Amino acid sequence: MTWMRHLSSASGCPDDKGRVLTIKEVRTNLMNMVGVRSQWGEKNPWQEPSVMQPVAESQAQLPVRKPSDSFVRACIPLSDPEAREKYLLFTGGIRFGRLLEDFDTLAGLICYNHNKNPDLGDNQKSPYAFVTVLVDRIEKSSSSELALSAKNDIYAQGNVTWVGKSSMECSMFMQQEIDGKVHQFLSAKYLFAARNPLNNMAGIINPLDPQTPEEKAAFQLGEENKKKRQQEGTKSLLKTPPSEEERLIIHDIFLSTLDQQSGSLRVRLKPENTVWMEDTILKSLIICHPEQRNLYNKIFGGFLMRRAYELAWITASVYSKKRPGMCKVVDDILFKKPVEIGSLLFLSSQVVYSNGPDLQVHIHAEVVNPQEGTRETTNDFHFTFDTGVPDLPRVMPKTYAESMMYLVGKRHYES
Protein backbone atom coordinates (compact mmCIF):
# COMPACT_ATOMS: atom_id res chain seq x y z
CA MET A 1 0.00 0.00 0.00
CA THR A 2 1.10 3.59 -0.48
CA TRP A 3 1.42 4.17 3.25
CA MET A 4 3.22 0.86 3.75
CA ARG A 5 6.01 1.93 1.40
CA HIS A 6 6.78 4.92 3.63
CA LEU A 7 7.31 2.91 6.81
CA SER A 8 10.96 2.11 6.18
CA SER A 9 12.33 5.56 7.07
CA ALA A 10 11.79 7.70 10.12
CA SER A 11 12.73 10.75 8.05
CA GLY A 12 9.21 10.62 6.68
CA CYS A 13 7.36 11.68 3.57
CA PRO A 14 7.63 15.42 2.82
CA ASP A 15 4.68 17.70 2.28
CA ASP A 16 4.30 19.92 -0.80
CA LYS A 17 7.10 22.14 0.54
CA GLY A 18 9.53 19.27 0.97
CA ARG A 19 9.36 18.67 4.72
CA VAL A 20 7.54 16.61 7.33
CA LEU A 21 4.72 18.45 9.10
CA THR A 22 4.66 18.80 12.85
CA ILE A 23 1.38 17.87 14.50
CA LYS A 24 0.91 21.59 15.24
CA GLU A 25 1.22 22.34 11.52
CA VAL A 26 -1.31 19.60 10.81
CA ARG A 27 -3.82 21.50 12.94
CA THR A 28 -2.95 24.79 11.25
CA ASN A 29 -3.37 23.32 7.76
CA LEU A 30 -6.67 21.79 8.79
CA MET A 31 -7.92 25.14 10.07
CA ASN A 32 -6.92 26.82 6.81
CA MET A 33 -8.82 24.24 4.76
CA VAL A 34 -11.96 24.58 6.83
CA GLY A 35 -11.91 28.34 7.38
CA VAL A 36 -12.08 28.03 11.15
CA ARG A 37 -13.35 30.88 13.30
CA SER A 38 -10.46 32.08 15.44
CA GLN A 39 -12.47 33.10 18.49
CA TRP A 40 -15.53 31.63 20.16
CA GLY A 41 -18.66 33.44 19.03
CA GLU A 42 -17.39 34.73 15.67
CA LYS A 43 -19.40 34.28 12.48
CA ASN A 44 -19.79 30.95 10.72
CA PRO A 45 -16.55 30.08 8.87
CA TRP A 46 -18.49 28.94 5.79
CA GLN A 47 -19.67 32.53 5.36
CA GLU A 48 -16.13 33.86 5.05
CA PRO A 49 -14.85 34.83 1.56
CA SER A 50 -12.58 32.12 0.15
CA VAL A 51 -11.95 29.90 -2.83
CA MET A 52 -14.91 27.65 -2.10
CA GLN A 53 -15.18 24.33 -3.91
CA PRO A 54 -18.54 23.87 -5.63
CA VAL A 55 -21.10 21.53 -4.04
CA ALA A 56 -21.35 18.54 -6.38
CA GLU A 57 -24.53 16.61 -7.13
CA SER A 58 -22.69 13.42 -8.15
CA GLN A 59 -19.20 11.94 -7.96
CA ALA A 60 -18.91 12.31 -11.75
CA GLN A 61 -18.59 16.08 -11.22
CA LEU A 62 -15.58 15.68 -8.91
CA PRO A 63 -11.93 15.01 -9.80
CA VAL A 64 -10.75 11.44 -9.28
CA ARG A 65 -8.09 11.17 -6.60
CA LYS A 66 -5.35 8.62 -5.96
CA PRO A 67 -4.57 7.23 -2.48
CA SER A 68 -1.21 9.01 -2.58
CA ASP A 69 -2.96 12.41 -3.00
CA SER A 70 -4.23 12.28 0.59
CA PHE A 71 -1.04 10.93 2.17
CA VAL A 72 0.21 12.91 5.18
CA ARG A 73 3.13 12.23 7.48
CA ALA A 74 3.52 14.25 10.66
CA CYS A 75 5.91 14.42 13.58
CA ILE A 76 5.05 14.54 17.27
CA PRO A 77 8.27 16.24 18.46
CA LEU A 78 8.92 14.54 21.79
CA SER A 79 12.61 15.45 21.44
CA ASP A 80 11.52 19.03 22.18
CA PRO A 81 11.27 19.32 26.01
CA GLU A 82 8.50 21.92 25.80
CA ALA A 83 6.35 19.77 23.49
CA ARG A 84 7.14 16.61 25.48
CA GLU A 85 5.49 17.97 28.64
CA LYS A 86 2.04 17.63 27.06
CA TYR A 87 2.58 13.92 26.28
CA LEU A 88 4.44 12.81 29.40
CA LEU A 89 2.76 10.34 31.74
CA PHE A 90 3.50 10.71 35.45
CA THR A 91 5.17 7.28 35.37
CA GLY A 92 7.60 8.49 32.72
CA GLY A 93 5.80 6.90 29.78
CA ILE A 94 3.67 8.47 27.04
CA ARG A 95 0.02 9.49 27.46
CA PHE A 96 -1.84 7.25 25.05
CA GLY A 97 -4.87 9.53 25.19
CA ARG A 98 -2.82 12.35 23.66
CA LEU A 99 -1.88 10.06 20.77
CA LEU A 100 -5.58 9.38 20.21
CA GLU A 101 -6.16 13.13 19.91
CA ASP A 102 -3.40 13.47 17.33
CA PHE A 103 -4.66 10.47 15.35
CA ASP A 104 -8.08 12.12 15.10
CA THR A 105 -6.57 15.43 13.95
CA LEU A 106 -4.40 13.73 11.34
CA ALA A 107 -7.35 11.76 10.00
CA GLY A 108 -9.24 15.01 9.49
CA LEU A 109 -6.43 16.54 7.41
CA ILE A 110 -6.19 13.35 5.35
CA CYS A 111 -9.90 13.60 4.50
CA TYR A 112 -9.61 17.21 3.38
CA ASN A 113 -6.50 16.38 1.33
CA HIS A 114 -8.44 13.69 -0.52
CA ASN A 115 -11.25 16.09 -1.34
CA LYS A 116 -9.09 18.87 -2.74
CA ASN A 117 -9.67 20.08 -6.27
CA PRO A 118 -6.19 20.31 -7.88
CA ASP A 119 -7.41 23.12 -10.16
CA LEU A 120 -8.26 25.51 -7.31
CA GLY A 121 -4.81 25.95 -5.80
CA ASP A 122 -3.70 25.97 -2.17
CA ASN A 123 -6.17 28.46 -0.69
CA GLN A 124 -9.35 26.52 -1.41
CA LYS A 125 -11.98 25.83 1.24
CA SER A 126 -14.03 22.66 1.33
CA PRO A 127 -17.83 23.13 1.19
CA TYR A 128 -18.22 20.15 3.54
CA ALA A 129 -17.61 19.27 7.16
CA PHE A 130 -15.97 15.87 7.60
CA VAL A 131 -17.11 14.22 10.80
CA THR A 132 -15.86 11.08 12.50
CA VAL A 133 -18.55 8.41 12.26
CA LEU A 134 -16.63 5.47 13.65
CA VAL A 135 -13.17 4.57 14.82
CA ASP A 136 -13.20 1.07 13.46
CA ARG A 137 -10.08 -0.05 15.27
CA ILE A 138 -6.95 1.32 16.90
CA GLU A 139 -4.58 -1.51 17.66
CA LYS A 140 -1.18 -1.84 19.26
CA SER A 141 1.16 -3.86 17.08
CA SER A 142 1.68 -7.37 18.46
CA SER A 143 5.29 -7.25 17.23
CA SER A 144 6.04 -4.02 19.14
CA GLU A 145 6.77 -5.01 22.73
CA LEU A 146 9.43 -2.37 23.34
CA ALA A 147 8.56 0.42 25.74
CA LEU A 148 8.07 3.69 23.90
CA SER A 149 10.57 6.44 24.58
CA ALA A 150 9.21 9.72 25.91
CA LYS A 151 12.21 11.53 24.37
CA ASN A 152 12.14 10.23 20.79
CA ASP A 153 9.95 11.78 18.11
CA ILE A 154 6.86 9.85 17.02
CA TYR A 155 5.78 9.85 13.37
CA ALA A 156 2.14 9.42 12.36
CA GLN A 157 1.08 8.86 8.77
CA GLY A 158 -1.81 7.66 6.67
CA ASN A 159 -4.06 8.17 3.68
CA VAL A 160 -7.54 7.43 2.37
CA THR A 161 -7.77 3.79 1.34
CA TRP A 162 -11.51 3.41 0.61
CA VAL A 163 -14.27 5.74 -0.55
CA GLY A 164 -18.04 5.36 -0.83
CA LYS A 165 -20.44 8.06 -1.99
CA SER A 166 -20.41 10.20 1.15
CA SER A 167 -18.01 8.34 3.46
CA MET A 168 -14.37 7.32 3.41
CA GLU A 169 -11.97 5.15 5.38
CA CYS A 170 -8.54 6.38 6.52
CA SER A 171 -5.77 3.92 7.37
CA MET A 172 -3.06 5.26 9.64
CA PHE A 173 0.05 4.23 11.58
CA MET A 174 2.37 5.53 14.27
CA GLN A 175 6.03 4.62 14.58
CA GLN A 176 9.07 5.54 16.65
CA GLU A 177 12.78 4.95 16.29
CA ILE A 178 14.24 3.07 19.26
CA ASP A 179 17.89 2.00 19.42
CA GLY A 180 18.41 2.85 15.76
CA LYS A 181 15.45 0.80 14.52
CA VAL A 182 12.02 2.08 13.44
CA HIS A 183 9.13 0.31 15.18
CA GLN A 184 5.53 0.58 14.03
CA PHE A 185 3.57 0.39 17.28
CA LEU A 186 0.05 1.56 16.46
CA SER A 187 -2.40 1.23 13.56
CA ALA A 188 -5.85 2.75 13.11
CA LYS A 189 -8.85 2.86 10.81
CA TYR A 190 -11.25 5.83 10.86
CA LEU A 191 -14.55 6.16 9.04
CA PHE A 192 -15.50 9.74 8.10
CA ALA A 193 -18.65 11.16 6.53
CA ALA A 194 -19.09 14.38 4.56
CA ARG A 195 -21.86 16.73 5.67
CA ASN A 196 -23.01 20.01 4.16
CA PRO A 197 -22.93 22.41 7.15
CA LEU A 198 -25.50 24.72 5.57
CA ASN A 199 -28.29 22.11 5.40
CA ASN A 200 -26.80 19.13 7.31
CA MET A 201 -27.30 16.89 4.25
CA ALA A 202 -24.80 14.26 3.14
CA GLY A 203 -21.98 15.53 0.95
CA ILE A 204 -20.45 13.91 -2.12
CA ILE A 205 -16.86 12.68 -1.78
CA ASN A 206 -14.27 12.60 -4.55
CA PRO A 207 -13.98 9.12 -6.08
CA LEU A 208 -10.83 7.10 -5.35
CA ASP A 209 -8.77 5.36 -8.03
CA PRO A 210 -6.32 2.90 -6.42
CA GLN A 211 -3.24 2.48 -8.59
CA THR A 212 -1.03 -0.30 -7.26
CA PRO A 213 -1.96 -3.88 -6.33
CA GLU A 214 -1.48 -2.94 -2.66
CA GLU A 215 -3.81 0.05 -2.99
CA LYS A 216 -6.41 -2.07 -4.76
CA ALA A 217 -6.19 -4.67 -2.00
CA ALA A 218 -6.67 -1.92 0.62
CA PHE A 219 -9.73 -0.65 -1.27
CA GLN A 220 -11.20 -4.15 -1.38
CA LEU A 221 -10.57 -4.49 2.35
CA GLY A 222 -12.54 -1.27 2.84
CA GLU A 223 -15.45 -2.79 0.92
CA GLU A 224 -15.30 -5.86 3.14
CA ASN A 225 -15.18 -3.69 6.26
CA LYS A 226 -18.34 -1.89 5.09
CA LYS A 227 -20.19 -5.21 4.66
CA LYS A 228 -18.88 -6.44 8.00
CA ARG A 229 -20.19 -3.33 9.77
CA GLN A 230 -23.59 -3.83 8.17
CA GLN A 231 -23.69 -7.49 9.25
CA GLU A 232 -22.61 -6.68 12.79
CA GLY A 233 -25.36 -4.05 12.98
CA THR A 234 -28.00 -6.70 12.33
CA LYS A 235 -26.49 -8.93 15.06
CA SER A 236 -26.59 -6.26 17.74
CA LEU A 237 -28.02 -7.48 21.05
CA LEU A 238 -30.27 -4.42 20.95
CA LYS A 239 -32.01 -6.00 17.94
CA THR A 240 -31.49 -9.76 18.09
CA PRO A 241 -31.23 -12.30 20.96
CA PRO A 242 -27.93 -13.97 21.87
CA SER A 243 -26.86 -17.09 20.02
CA GLU A 244 -27.47 -20.51 21.53
CA GLU A 245 -23.83 -20.74 22.59
CA GLU A 246 -24.00 -17.31 24.24
CA ARG A 247 -27.21 -18.21 26.08
CA LEU A 248 -25.51 -21.29 27.52
CA ILE A 249 -22.56 -19.17 28.68
CA ILE A 250 -24.86 -16.77 30.52
CA HIS A 251 -26.84 -19.63 32.05
CA ASP A 252 -23.65 -21.31 33.30
CA ILE A 253 -22.51 -18.02 34.85
CA PHE A 254 -25.90 -17.62 36.53
CA LEU A 255 -25.77 -21.16 37.96
CA SER A 256 -22.24 -20.57 39.28
CA THR A 257 -23.54 -17.65 41.40
CA LEU A 258 -26.47 -19.49 43.00
CA ASP A 259 -26.45 -20.73 46.57
CA GLN A 260 -27.24 -24.36 45.78
CA GLN A 261 -28.09 -25.13 49.41
CA SER A 262 -30.82 -22.47 49.53
CA GLY A 263 -32.88 -24.07 46.78
CA SER A 264 -33.79 -20.59 45.55
CA LEU A 265 -33.06 -18.72 42.32
CA ARG A 266 -32.89 -15.45 44.24
CA VAL A 267 -30.00 -16.13 46.61
CA ARG A 268 -26.78 -15.18 44.81
CA LEU A 269 -23.23 -15.77 45.99
CA LYS A 270 -20.09 -14.38 44.42
CA PRO A 271 -17.72 -17.21 43.45
CA GLU A 272 -14.15 -17.18 44.66
CA ASN A 273 -11.73 -14.83 42.82
CA THR A 274 -14.53 -12.94 41.07
CA VAL A 275 -15.90 -9.38 41.13
CA TRP A 276 -19.50 -8.34 40.59
CA MET A 277 -19.73 -6.22 37.44
CA GLU A 278 -21.74 -3.58 39.28
CA ASP A 279 -18.81 -3.04 41.64
CA THR A 280 -16.45 -2.03 38.79
CA ILE A 281 -18.33 1.14 37.80
CA LEU A 282 -16.49 4.47 37.81
CA LYS A 283 -17.99 7.75 36.62
CA SER A 284 -16.77 11.14 35.48
CA LEU A 285 -18.44 14.45 34.60
CA ILE A 286 -17.13 16.85 31.93
CA ILE A 287 -18.36 20.43 31.54
CA CYS A 288 -17.91 21.09 27.81
CA HIS A 289 -16.23 24.48 27.44
CA PRO A 290 -15.34 26.27 24.15
CA GLU A 291 -11.68 25.40 24.79
CA GLN A 292 -12.41 21.79 23.72
CA ARG A 293 -14.28 22.68 20.51
CA ASN A 294 -13.36 21.36 17.07
CA LEU A 295 -13.40 23.23 13.76
CA TYR A 296 -17.20 23.11 13.62
CA ASN A 297 -17.79 24.37 17.16
CA LYS A 298 -18.67 20.95 18.54
CA ILE A 299 -16.62 19.13 21.16
CA PHE A 300 -13.48 17.66 19.55
CA GLY A 301 -13.79 13.89 19.09
CA GLY A 302 -10.13 13.37 20.00
CA PHE A 303 -10.74 15.10 23.33
CA LEU A 304 -13.63 12.74 24.03
CA MET A 305 -11.47 9.75 23.17
CA ARG A 306 -8.70 10.95 25.45
CA ARG A 307 -11.01 11.49 28.41
CA ALA A 308 -12.74 8.14 27.83
CA TYR A 309 -9.40 6.35 27.59
CA GLU A 310 -8.09 7.91 30.78
CA LEU A 311 -11.20 6.82 32.68
CA ALA A 312 -10.92 3.32 31.20
CA TRP A 313 -7.24 3.18 32.22
CA ILE A 314 -8.17 4.17 35.79
CA THR A 315 -10.91 1.50 35.81
CA ALA A 316 -8.46 -1.17 34.68
CA SER A 317 -5.94 0.03 37.26
CA VAL A 318 -8.42 -0.11 40.14
CA TYR A 319 -9.67 -3.55 39.06
CA SER A 320 -6.23 -5.12 38.63
CA LYS A 321 -4.59 -3.18 41.52
CA LYS A 322 -1.81 -2.40 39.06
CA ARG A 323 -1.09 0.36 36.56
CA PRO A 324 -1.57 -1.27 33.15
CA GLY A 325 0.48 -0.26 30.14
CA MET A 326 -0.87 1.11 26.87
CA CYS A 327 -4.14 -0.57 25.91
CA LYS A 328 -4.00 -3.28 23.25
CA VAL A 329 -7.06 -2.34 21.23
CA VAL A 330 -9.55 0.52 20.94
CA ASP A 331 -12.50 -0.97 19.07
CA ASP A 332 -15.65 0.45 17.47
CA ILE A 333 -15.83 3.96 18.90
CA LEU A 334 -19.25 5.00 17.63
CA PHE A 335 -20.08 8.71 17.42
CA LYS A 336 -23.88 8.71 17.59
CA LYS A 337 -24.34 12.48 17.82
CA PRO A 338 -22.14 15.56 18.28
CA VAL A 339 -21.55 16.98 21.74
CA GLU A 340 -22.50 20.64 21.92
CA ILE A 341 -20.55 23.37 23.69
CA GLY A 342 -22.00 23.89 27.17
CA SER A 343 -23.14 20.29 27.54
CA LEU A 344 -22.80 18.26 30.72
CA LEU A 345 -21.16 15.03 29.56
CA PHE A 346 -21.30 11.98 31.84
CA LEU A 347 -18.81 9.15 31.28
CA SER A 348 -19.57 5.80 32.89
CA SER A 349 -16.84 3.15 32.87
CA GLN A 350 -17.24 -0.54 33.65
CA VAL A 351 -15.28 -3.77 33.30
CA VAL A 352 -17.58 -5.96 31.21
CA TYR A 353 -15.38 -8.94 30.37
CA SER A 354 -12.17 -10.53 31.60
CA ASN A 355 -9.99 -13.31 30.27
CA GLY A 356 -6.77 -14.24 32.02
CA PRO A 357 -4.77 -11.01 32.43
CA ASP A 358 -6.93 -9.12 29.91
CA LEU A 359 -9.80 -6.75 30.65
CA GLN A 360 -12.51 -5.37 28.36
CA VAL A 361 -13.65 -1.92 29.55
CA HIS A 362 -16.76 -0.23 28.21
CA ILE A 363 -17.31 3.52 28.42
CA HIS A 364 -20.79 4.95 27.92
CA ALA A 365 -21.02 8.70 27.25
CA GLU A 366 -24.25 10.64 27.55
CA VAL A 367 -25.22 14.30 27.51
CA VAL A 368 -27.41 15.44 30.39
CA ASN A 369 -29.75 18.40 30.07
CA PRO A 370 -30.39 19.50 33.68
CA GLN A 371 -33.12 21.96 32.67
CA GLU A 372 -35.19 19.34 30.84
CA GLY A 373 -34.02 16.35 32.87
CA THR A 374 -33.08 14.37 29.73
CA ARG A 375 -30.16 12.09 28.89
CA GLU A 376 -28.95 11.22 25.39
CA THR A 377 -26.22 8.74 24.45
CA THR A 378 -23.46 10.32 22.37
CA ASN A 379 -20.67 7.73 22.31
CA ASP A 380 -19.69 4.20 23.21
CA PHE A 381 -16.05 3.21 23.68
CA HIS A 382 -14.47 -0.25 23.96
CA PHE A 383 -10.93 -0.70 25.33
CA THR A 384 -8.88 -3.88 25.76
CA PHE A 385 -6.11 -3.86 28.40
CA ASP A 386 -3.43 -6.41 29.20
CA THR A 387 -2.89 -5.89 32.93
CA GLY A 388 -0.06 -8.39 33.21
CA VAL A 389 -1.77 -9.98 36.24
CA PRO A 390 -2.11 -13.73 35.53
CA ASP A 391 -4.60 -14.50 38.32
CA LEU A 392 -6.90 -11.56 37.65
CA PRO A 393 -10.37 -11.96 39.23
CA ARG A 394 -13.14 -12.80 36.78
CA VAL A 395 -15.88 -10.23 36.31
CA MET A 396 -19.39 -11.59 36.99
CA PRO A 397 -22.68 -10.17 35.68
CA LYS A 398 -25.61 -10.27 38.07
CA THR A 399 -28.55 -8.92 36.06
CA TYR A 400 -29.77 -9.70 32.54
CA ALA A 401 -28.63 -6.26 31.32
CA GLU A 402 -25.15 -6.92 32.72
CA SER A 403 -25.16 -10.33 31.04
CA MET A 404 -25.79 -8.63 27.69
CA MET A 405 -22.93 -6.21 28.39
CA TYR A 406 -20.76 -9.22 29.22
CA LEU A 407 -21.55 -10.75 25.81
CA VAL A 408 -20.87 -7.46 24.01
CA GLY A 409 -17.52 -7.23 25.78
CA LYS A 410 -16.75 -10.85 24.89
CA ARG A 411 -17.56 -10.19 21.23
CA HIS A 412 -15.29 -7.15 21.10
CA TYR A 413 -12.50 -8.99 22.88
CA GLU A 414 -12.66 -11.96 20.51
CA SER A 415 -12.93 -9.80 17.39
Side-chain angles (χ1 to χ4, degrees):
M1 301 178 188
T2 300
W3 29 266
M4 288 295 287
R5 292 202 300 271
H6 294 287
L7 288 177
S8 59
S9 172
S11 62
C13 175
D15 65 358
D16 294 337
K17 298 181 180 179
R19 59 189 174 80
V20 178
L21 299 172
T22 65
I23 196 64
K24 184 177 180 180
E25 290 171 324
V26 167
R27 296 189 181 95
T28 300
N29 287 2
L30 190 54
M31 290 178 184
N32 291 336
M33 288 182 179
V34 175
V36 65
R37 64 193 86 178
S38 58
Q39 296 294 328
W40 171 248
E42 288 187 355
K43 67 179 182 179
N44 192 307
W46 289 275
Q47 297 173 348
E48 297 176 4
S50 60
V51 182
M52 184 65 72
Q53 299 175 34
V55 176
E57 296 181 358
S58 70
Q59 284 187 315
Q61 298 175 341
L62 296 172
V64 177
R65 306 285 279 168
K66 302 187 295 293
S68 57
D69 292 332
S70 62
F71 183 84
V72 181
R73 182 173 173 86
C75 174
I76 302 173
L78 298 184
S79 56
D80 178 3
E82 185 176 349
R84 184 192 312 145
E85 190 80 10
K86 176 181 176 182
Y87 294 87
L88 194 61
L89 191 64
F90 61 88
T91 60
I94 296 175
R95 294 177 63 182
F96 182 68
R98 289 293 188 191
L99 301 184
L100 294 181
E101 286 185 316
D102 291 342
F103 247 157
D104 196 73
T105 301
L106 181 66
L109 181 59
I110 288 170
C111 288
Y112 280 98
N113 268 357
H114 171 78
N115 284 273
K116 277 185 177 180
N117 186 332
D119 298 330
L120 296 182
D122 294 333
N123 296 323
Q124 59 187 286
K125 299 287 190 294
S126 173
Y128 300 130
F130 292 98
V131 297
T132 309
V133 176
L134 174 71
V135 180
D136 202 1
R137 198 170 184 87
I138 300 177
E139 187 169 8
K140 181 181 177 183
S141 173
S142 58
S143 61
S144 178
E145 297 300 331
L146 291 177
L148 297 178
S149 170
K151 297 184 178 181
N152 294 354
D153 293 343
I154 288 177
Y155 288 88
Q157 62 189 55
N159 63 302
V160 172
T161 50
W162 173 86
V163 164
K165 182 179 179 181
S166 61
S167 60
M168 71 184 86
E169 188 175 270
C170 298
S171 299
M172 299 185 294
F173 300 88
M174 280 190 181
Q175 59 188 120
Q176 186 181 61
E177 183 176 337
I178 302 175
D179 297 330
K181 185 178 180 181
V182 177
H183 296 270
Q184 179 185 306
F185 66 91
L186 211 61
S187 63
K189 285 189 179 294
Y190 279 68
L191 184 69
F192 275 76
R195 308 294 296 181
N196 188 328
L198 299 181
N199 57 20
N200 203 33
M201 301 292 289
I204 307 296
I205 291 177
N206 293 41
L208 183 68
D209 182 19
Q211 303 288 301
T212 67
E214 292 86 356
E215 291 171 353
K216 293 177 181 178
F219 188 90
Q220 181 59 39
L221 179 59
E223 289 285 348
E224 294 172 2
N225 288 338
K226 176 184 176 181
K227 295 177 182 178
K228 181 180 178 182
R229 287 190 291 267
Q230 292 172 340
Q231 292 172 353
E232 289 179 347
T234 62
K235 297 178 182 178
S236 169
L237 291 174
L238 292 173
K239 299 178 181 179
T240 59
S243 66
E244 180 62 26
E245 179 183 359
E246 290 174 331
R247 286 194 287 264
L248 290 176
I249 290 173
I250 293 305
H251 187 66
D252 288 343
I253 291 176
F254 173 73
L255 291 179
S256 71
T257 64
L258 288 180
D259 181 358
Q260 300 293 341
Q261 297 181 352
S262 71
S264 171
L265 297 176
R266 296 179 179 274
V267 181
R268 310 286 294 276
L269 296 175
K270 184 170 65 68
E272 185 179 354
N273 198 34
T274 63
V275 177
W276 290 123
M277 187 182 292
E278 64 183 15
D279 294 333
T280 69
I281 296 176
L282 292 178
K283 294 186 177 183
S284 176
L285 168 64
I286 300 172
I287 303 175
C288 299
H289 296 292
E291 179 186 2
Q292 288 94 37
R293 73 189 189 278
N294 63 12
L295 301 180
Y296 321 115
N297 278 336
K298 311 294 182 183
I299 293 299
F300 174 43
F303 169 78
L304 297 176
M305 285 191 283
R306 174 169 67 84
R307 293 298 299 266
Y309 170 78
E310 290 173 350
L311 181 58
W313 187 88
I314 293 171
T315 303
S317 179
V318 171
Y319 189 95
S320 63
K321 297 180 175 62
K322 178 182 178 182
R323 293 170 179 167
M326 185 185 300
C327 76
K328 296 168 61 176
V329 177
V330 184
D331 191 29
D332 280 1
I333 299 178
L334 182 61
F335 292 83
K336 296 181 179 180
K337 62 171 297 182
V339 179
E340 302 290 341
I341 305 298
S343 298
L344 299 181
L345 184 69
F346 278 85
L347 299 179
S348 178
S349 178
Q350 193 167 19
V351 177
V352 294
Y353 181 74
S354 58
N355 183 36
D358 293 344
L359 289 179
Q360 192 69 32
V361 181
H362 172 252
I363 304 284
H364 178 250
E366 58 182 357
V367 168
V368 177
N369 187 321
Q371 287 76 30
E372 299 179 4
T374 60
R375 291 175 177 253
E376 288 187 281
T377 297
T378 61
N379 305 85
D380 282 293
F381 305 85
H382 304 273
F383 300 96
T384 306
F385 290 91
D386 180 355
T387 65
V389 181
D391 57 344
L392 199 66
R394 184 184 178 191
V395 68
M396 300 293 287
K398 184 182 290 186
T399 67
Y400 186 80
E402 289 179 348
S403 296
M404 295 303 99
M405 294 174 63
Y406 179 93
L407 293 180
V408 170
K410 184 175 185 292
R411 289 180 179 184
H412 280 283
Y413 178 79
E414 294 177 348
S415 69

